[in-house]
Amino acid sequence: MKCRGVEDGCIDRRTAMAGLAATAGWAWAGPAAAETGVTDTRIKVGQSAVFTGPAKDFGVDYKAGIALYFDKVNKTGGVLGRTLELVSHDDAYDPKKTAENTTRLIDEDKVFALIGYVATGNLIAAMPIAEKAGVPMFAPLVGTTSFRTNHNRYLFHVRASYEAELRKIVGHLATLGIHNIAVIYQNSAFGKSNLDTCLQIAQGLKVKVVESVPMEIAATDAKAQVASLTKAQPGAVVMIMAGKMVEVFLRDYRAGGGASPLYTISVGITDAPGSAQRLNGGIEGLVTASIVPSPQASRLPIVADYRKDRVDAGEKIDSYTMLEGYIAARVFVEGLKRAGKALTREGFIKAMEDMGTTKIGDFPLQYGPGNHNGSNFVDLEMYTRTGSLRR
């Protein structure tokens, strides 16, 4: 039988209407295609971070903070009715594995956005993959200067930069009249890049770096580095390192009779009480840059919310890194809300850029079309013998 159209059942009515519409000069519009990682009930978000090895505390704590706020949002109805699903994969601090995980998250897990990556080299490995796929990368635990000065429309920061931290530290030392310093740095992309930043800042402030020595992240001995630093007799030592290697250096520096004041950027110490115990109080006097308020400062609304949500969830982890993850998740959710119900990746980017100068809780942030840097908050604090901090 020759097909004559809808009446014969040869084509469905929707197809026929679309053809008639095109003939008449107007288009039939069906339901809009859903964005990858977004359904009517869920938003899927991906993370690759370090959950094993010497630097695992950073990934574990950062994820815990993000998950804490995501769970809070899910229990109270989600984001405009959609729950948040966090898919996390361990990269063990290995950039090659980070790249593999990122491809997996985008191609197989089909996530809407990426969040909570850890470390400079790992972000370097992941960012081209995310950018090529048009996937937003949100709040990496990275402050390296090049990611701030080379604007990328898919990359949004929350934490202040390492440049801001190092400027705070070196500027403070210059104010104290200390104009000869030494630097010990992690032998990695993170350490080398931020050593360069530190050298530039020191030169601008007329502070001389009399010695700079590298250290491996998996090092179990720092006696050679301590000997070089002690010989240089600096007025202070600045540490650009992260993870257990900081404890190794502190242990050998104290044991070797090192007397110069010690300063570290924010990622130097994660488990302060544990470090204090393992070092028999040897953490005392170490000055650190902090890019979020103290997790104990309940007088601040953002911290009060964090502490309440921790208690409600029965969460045992409590650290600066966890609070940072919690704040990052709150900023991310705010961007999702502002993007509206018809959520797309491009809509999220625009919503973040339209945020301007704002506060989440009482935490100040600033975003715009040419500014994805977020916070400029940096403070200096000193560790006590037990690992608590005081200003």
Side-chain angles (χ1 to χ4, degrees):
M1 180 183 71
K2 184 177 180 180
C3 178
R4 294 191 298 272
V6 174
E7 292 80 2
D8 288 331
C10 299
I11 55 176
D12 64 49
R13 186 171 299 276
R14 180 173 291 183
T15 303
M17 290 299 294
L20 289 171
T23 302
W26 53 272
W28 176 84
E35 180 63 274
T36 301
V38 180
T39 70
D40 288 342
T41 59
R42 183 196 66 191
I43 303 169
K44 188 184 287 190
V45 186
Q47 178 189 28
S48 176
V50 52
F51 302 127
T52 56
K56 68 178 181 180
D57 288 343
F58 293 105
V60 170
D61 287 21
Y62 205 38
K63 177 186 175 183
I66 294 168
L68 178 66
Y69 190 67
F70 277 13
D71 289 346
K72 161 74 176 294
V73 170
N74 289 344
K75 290 175 182 176
T76 54
V79 181
L80 303 179
R82 295 183 173 111
T83 59
L84 295 161
E85 178 184 347
L86 180 63
V87 181
S88 299
H89 299 309
D90 182 22
D91 58 34
Y93 217 59
D94 179 1
K96 180 180 178 182
K97 184 66 175 175
T98 306
E100 293 170 356
N101 286 348
T102 303
T103 298
R104 176 183 173 188
L105 287 163
I106 293 171
D107 293 345
E108 298 179 26
D109 296 317
K110 304 291 185 182
V111 299
F112 167 75
L114 301 165
I115 191 172
Y117 278 48
V118 176
T120 298
N122 306 75
L123 185 58
I124 289 172
M127 201 60 234
I129 301 169
E131 186 176 11
K132 183 178 180 181
V135 178
M137 171 73 78
F138 198 84
L141 204 158
V142 174
T144 299
T145 304
S146 60
F147 286 115
R148 314 304 177 106
T149 55
N150 301 323
H151 178 72
N152 187 315
R153 70 184 303 268
Y154 294 102
L155 177 60
F156 287 88
H157 302 279
V158 174
R159 66 162 28 232
S161 67
Y162 294 140
E163 189 274 340
E165 294 185 38
L166 289 165
R167 187 169 296 280
K168 185 83 169 183
I169 291 171
V170 179
H172 171 72
L173 292 171
T175 300
L176 294 177
I178 298 175
H179 295 284
N180 292 309
I181 67 171
V183 180
I184 179 165
Y185 62 96
Q186 185 170 307
N187 191 18
S188 66
F190 151 71
K192 294 172 183 177
S193 173
N194 290 295
L195 170 65
D196 290 342
T197 298
C198 186
L199 293 173
Q200 292 172 13
I201 292 170
Q203 183 178 23
L205 294 173
K206 295 181 170 53
V207 173
K208 185 177 181 181
V209 178
V210 296
E211 185 68 71
S212 60
V213 294
M215 184 170 168
E216 302 300 324
I217 188 170
T220 57
D221 183 289
K223 293 183 177 63
Q225 287 85 355
V226 170
S228 295
L229 295 176
T230 302
K231 184 178 179 180
Q233 297 184 325
V237 176
V238 177
M239 294 184 283
I240 304 175
M241 306 189 295
K244 296 296 184 184
M245 62 189 303
V246 175
E247 284 188 30
V248 172
F249 173 73
L250 281 172
R251 180 199 67 201
D252 290 352
Y253 186 78
R254 302 297 193 200
S260 298
L262 299 175
Y263 288 74
T264 180
I265 57 177
S266 59
V267 294
I269 297 287
T270 298
D271 177 19
S275 294
Q277 185 176 23
R278 288 186 290 271
L279 294 169
N280 295 316
I283 196 173
E284 184 176 17
L286 172 65
V287 177
T288 183
S290 299
I291 50 80
V292 294
S294 167
Q296 310 304 320
S298 297
R299 67 186 183 281
L300 303 176
I302 191 77
V303 179
D305 291 347
Y306 159 77
R307 300 212 65 78
K308 181 179 184 302
D309 291 344
R310 272 189 68 256
V311 171
D312 291 348
E315 176 59 66
K316 294 181 179 179
I317 297 174
D318 186 16
S319 68
Y320 277 73
T321 303
M322 184 175 178
L323 174 58
E324 182 181 347
Y326 178 88
I327 293 173
R330 284 190 62 161
V331 181
F332 181 72
V333 168
E334 181 65 21
L336 293 176
K337 289 178 179 177
R338 294 184 184 217
K341 186 70 175 175
L343 179 63
T344 65
R345 289 166 174 165
E346 288 298 317
F348 173 76
I349 290 171
K350 186 177 187 306
M352 287 299 305
E353 292 184 337
D354 289 346
M355 197 174 290
T357 300
T358 189
K359 290 184 177 181
I360 303 297
D362 59 332
F363 193 73
L365 297 154
Q366 187 175 50
Y367 294 102
N371 174 23
H372 290 188
N373 291 339
S375 170
N376 289 313
F377 176 90
V378 181
D379 204 354
L380 295 180
E381 299 178 291
M382 180 180 288
Y383 285 105
T384 67
R385 184 174 180 81
T386 60
S388 60
L389 282 164
R390 59 184 177 85
R391 282 175 168 78

